Amino acid sequence: MNHAFPCGTLCLDFVGTLRARRNAMPLEKLATPGLLDDWFVESGMMDLEPGASEADVMVAVQLREAVYDLVVARLDGRPLPPEAVAEVNMHASGLPVTVRLGPDGVVSTGPVAQGLASLAREAVQLLGGDDAALLRECARPECTQVYLDRSRGHRREWCAMRTCGNRVKAANYRARQHAEQA
């Protein structure tokens, strides 16, 4: 599996395909058409690879960054950037992933453009609805994942406990041990 899905919604998991944004060398998880295809299948959005091209990767990254700009504006309490709104709305107006009933149940397919339209629609619903108040950025300084905090009391700190949460807790433990030995 090439991708992780800790954020609570696919559009935020999609935003998280650029890891460690503030680092000098962020990790691009959509660097090739194959990785984009993998994301759609691994996310469960599509049952078959959409057959991404290099041009599709560029369009997907452009949409991802527009959604990220909107998320950051919501987190910071700033007005939504008009260019990002236009980009997301343009994609949201497209046809969503095709859903068909097959002999074994539901089959979801389509080209990359339909996957991006579905993601953009989800972003519109999230950013324009009540769930926008649940947006949080991971508290681990190196991580820039944004997630929905649906925890009781809304005190979740990390995108995922098994990764970032464990790293922060282990680092704090080591720091305490080091301080006691000094």
Side-chain angles (χ1 to χ4, degrees):
M1 197 160 182
N2 293 315
H3 301 284
F5 301 91
C7 301
T9 181
L10 288 182
C11 67
L12 294 180
D13 289 321
F14 191 68
V15 165
T17 58
L18 182 62
R19 303 268 170 80
R21 287 174 177 273
R22 289 186 283 273
N23 288 0
M25 297 289 289
L27 177 60
E28 177 61 74
K29 299 295 283 185
L30 297 179
T32 67
L35 286 170
L36 181 57
D37 282 343
D38 289 347
W39 191 90
F40 281 115
V41 173
E42 290 174 16
S43 71
M45 180 179 278
M46 293 186 185
D47 296 309
L48 303 172
E49 291 182 355
S53 68
E54 290 291 337
D56 289 329
V57 171
M58 290 180 4
V59 171
V61 167
Q62 190 172 342
L63 173 62
R64 178 190 68 197
E65 295 309 303
V67 174
Y68 181 73
D69 290 346
L70 296 173
V71 166
V72 169
R74 279 282 185 247
L75 286 169
D76 294 344
R78 291 183 288 110
L80 299 177
E83 310 82 33
V85 169
E87 180 76 17
V88 170
N89 283 340
M90 180 196 64
H91 285 282
S93 69
L95 293 172
V97 169
T98 302
V99 181
R100 290 195 169 94
L101 184 59
D104 297 323
V106 177
V107 178
S108 301
T109 62
V112 170
Q114 285 180 289
L116 296 178
S118 293
L119 288 168
R121 287 173 182 218
E122 186 176 293
V124 166
Q125 292 293 322
L126 170 65
L127 295 164
D130 294 339
D131 281 350
L134 302 176
L135 287 168
R136 305 284 185 276
E137 186 176 59
C138 184
R140 188 171 72 98
E142 299 81 28
C143 185
T144 54
Q145 287 277 42
V146 180
Y147 60 90
L148 290 177
D149 181 4
R150 296 189 189 279
S151 67
R152 211 169 74 180
H154 303 290
R155 288 183 277 174
R156 181 174 158 192
E157 296 181 57
W158 303 290
C159 61
M161 184 61 197
R162 74 183 189 298
T163 54
C164 289
N166 282 342
R167 288 178 186 165
V168 170
K169 288 184 175 205
N172 289 343
Y173 175 77
R174 284 191 300 276
R176 283 192 309 273
Q177 295 298 82
H178 182 32
E180 289 173 8
Q181 292 173 354

